[in-house]
Amino acid sequence: MKHLISISQLSRADIEHLLEKAKDIKSSPQDYSQSLTNSIIAMLFFEPSTRTRLSHESAALRLGARVLGFADAGTTSTKKGETLEDTIRVINGYADAIIIRHPEYGAAERGAAVSDIPVINAGDGSNEHPTQALLDLFTIQEKFKKLDTVRITFVGDLKYGRTVHSLIKALSHFNVHISCVSPASLRLPDTFKNNRLPYQEYETWDEVADTTDVLYITRVQEERFEDKQEYNQLKDKYILTPKEAEKFSSETIFMHPLPRVVELSPEIDTDPRAWYFKQAHNGVWMRMAILSHILS
Ligand code: NCD
């Protein structure tokens, strides 16, 4: 694997290898502190990010690498009209790998096409977010000690939510049970459907609450809507409050890629089933596994 653009590039064995590696890194991170001491990692963030950028930076630093980059493309030559391809060609002379986030669907692939150094997709528009899918799998496995037979319910914006797209593709290698809960207009697009993993669609979680091991909640992706009125009508359709949480078993975990807006009540944070901050923290270990796998 040179670049990581889509989760579809990975086989079940590749995913299991990365899960194993992330587990080992989490249990003894000091053993990896010199793994990438001669590497420079470039962070090219053309779109807002907190977790994805900083956990990649943390991962690179914990591997002994150094980092450079930008978090606001408004301060770069993109503002003067430079193409993405030219930016990537130039950074090829400054770094050993590129982590890229971009608002356009397919941007990471376009970047990789002109790059001699590895490119890792940190989210391209409403398409994919493969490193998030891997850290999500790691978190599910940490709780259930397996992925096969786990029952996962996706909730919210399944149309534009790129973390859902990559995670569903990744799950197609495992014998999981998937349910999708969304408004009719925000259903999973056909391109991300998988024949190997048939799933049922619902408009409320009530029907699946007692058969859900992982409730994977997402934010309605405001920035992808042309019609803000439509966004306003959909944004608070699903809100996990303590009262709603009572419908789920004590063994269910609540996941969310974050940031949350209204869909996850802060009152849930003290519920032992709330796993979203653990999930965010796991990003560091999985991204260390990915970076060292690609660069060593
Ligand atoms: C997600 C993203 O950027 O796609 N955030 C993240 O990387 N953890 C989800 C979101 O923005 O809703």
Side-chain angles (χ1 to χ4, degrees), residues 47-53 101 122-123 125 128-129 131-132 135 160-164 216 218-221 223-224 256-261 263 279-280 287:
E47 201 184 52
S49 171
T50 301
R51 275 149 293 276
T52 306
R53 184 171 67 85
R101 167 168 288 190
E128 280 215 48
H129 196 344
T131 66
Q132 177 76 38
L135 78 89
Y160 297 119
R162 57 196 174 193
T163 72
V164 172
Y216 191 101
T218 62
R219 163 181 80 90
V220 178
Q221 308 276 298
E223 64 276 37
R224 313 278 177 231
H256 190 306
L258 302 175
R260 65 173 147 194
V261 190
E263 62 285 352
Q279 179 187 357
R287 286 166 174 141

Side-chain angles (χ1 to χ4, degrees), residues 42-95:
M43 308 280 161
L44 312 188
F45 279 70
F46 294 87
E47 201 184 52
S49 171
T50 301
R51 275 149 293 276
T52 306
R53 184 171 67 85
L54 296 176
S55 66
H56 269 109
E57 277 201 31
S58 174
L61 295 170
R62 284 173 195 263
L63 291 166
R66 282 161 294 169
V67 297
L68 51 78
F70 54 84
D72 175 4
T75 66
T76 72
S77 288
T78 303
K79 199 77 180 145
K80 303 179 189 169
E82 183 167 65
T83 63
L84 171 66
E85 284 81 356
D86 279 358
T87 304
I88 299 286
R89 287 186 185 105
V90 170
I91 306 292
N92 262 251
Y94 303 161

Side-chain angles (χ1 to χ4, degrees), residues 249-284:
S249 123
S250 59
E251 284 307 304
T252 301
I253 58 170
F254 304 135
M255 292 178 63
H256 190 306
L258 302 175
R260 65 173 147 194
V261 190
V262 289
E263 62 285 352
L264 198 50
S265 156
E267 293 165 272
I268 301 288
D269 297 356
T270 51
D271 186 314
R273 295 173 294 176
W275 270 54
Y276 30 90
F277 291 117
K278 264 185 234 181
Q279 179 187 357
H281 294 161
N282 279 337
V284 174

